[in-house]
Amino acid sequence: MNNELRIRTLTERFLNGETTLKEEQWLAQCYRSHRVPEDLLALRPMFMGLEAISLEHERAGSKPARKAAIWRRWVAVAACAAILLAGGGTLLWQRQQNECVAYIYGKKCTDRDVVMKELQRSITEVTAADGDVDVESQLNDLFEIN
């Protein structure tokens, strides 16, 4: 197929929306270089305008895509940092909540074994007392109220 026939055929297919991107690029190159028949030169401004729009769109499209990728990366980093901080804070809070603390003879004790032994000793003392022990006397003993 000679160039003139191919240009005419592709121009017709282009106007019908049936061309591929590669065919459209070849056709635009032909119109840019004035290698088209005289009767098709009236379409040249349209092809040049479409090519200019396409180039402008490609240039403009790359910047927002790059900015969006950078933005998504920063959001992902911030989300990871928030998760790590929240997880660490939760573990610290939970550790503090499960800490075993007692004041034995006026001194703070955090050793779980010592606290549990003292608790068991106190429970044994309270239950070993006579059956007439009431809540008020136990509170008086706890707070050393006479």
Side-chain angles (χ1 to χ4, degrees):
M1 179 184 298
N2 66 12
N3 274 348
E4 184 178 334
L5 182 59
R6 184 171 182 210
I7 290 170
R8 287 183 185 283
T9 305
L10 285 178
T11 300
E12 184 66 31
R13 287 185 53 218
F14 175 80
L15 294 174
N16 291 330
E18 300 170 348
T19 52
T20 65
L21 181 60
K22 193 171 187 171
E23 290 171 334
E24 290 173 13
Q25 289 170 343
W26 184 83
L27 200 55
Q29 185 181 21
C30 289
Y31 275 92
R32 189 178 331 107
S33 65
H34 298 284
R35 293 184 301 174
V36 294
E38 286 290 323
D39 59 318
L40 294 178
L41 279 178
L43 296 175
R44 184 175 186 275
M46 177 188 68
F47 277 98
M48 296 299 97
L50 291 175
E51 186 177 35
I53 290 171
S54 175
L55 290 174
E56 184 63 32
H57 181 69
E58 286 176 10
R59 276 189 239 126
S62 64
K63 289 180 183 177
R66 188 178 307 134
K67 285 182 181 179
I70 292 170
W71 175 251
R72 280 191 295 262
R73 184 172 295 140
W74 278 109
V75 168
V77 167
C80 288
I83 289 170
L84 288 174
L85 287 173
T90 301
L91 289 174
L92 182 62
W93 178 79
Q94 187 178 20
R95 183 175 171 203
Q96 288 176 346
Q97 294 298 315
N98 290 334
E99 187 176 21
C100 197
V101 178
Y103 287 90
I104 303 172
Y105 306 114
K107 293 183 180 179
K108 182 178 179 179
C109 180
T110 58
D111 184 2
R112 180 175 166 73
D113 293 333
V114 172
V115 171
M116 293 309 286
K117 283 180 186 175
E118 188 61 29
L119 177 66
Q120 186 64 37
R121 188 191 64 75
S122 296
I123 290 173
T124 304
E125 273 184 22
V126 170
T127 56
D130 60 341
D132 289 341
V133 177
D134 63 346
V135 174
E136 188 174 336
S137 65
Q138 288 180 357
L139 289 173
N140 287 339
D141 287 344
L142 283 173
F143 295 110
E144 298 177 5
I145 299 174
N146 290 326

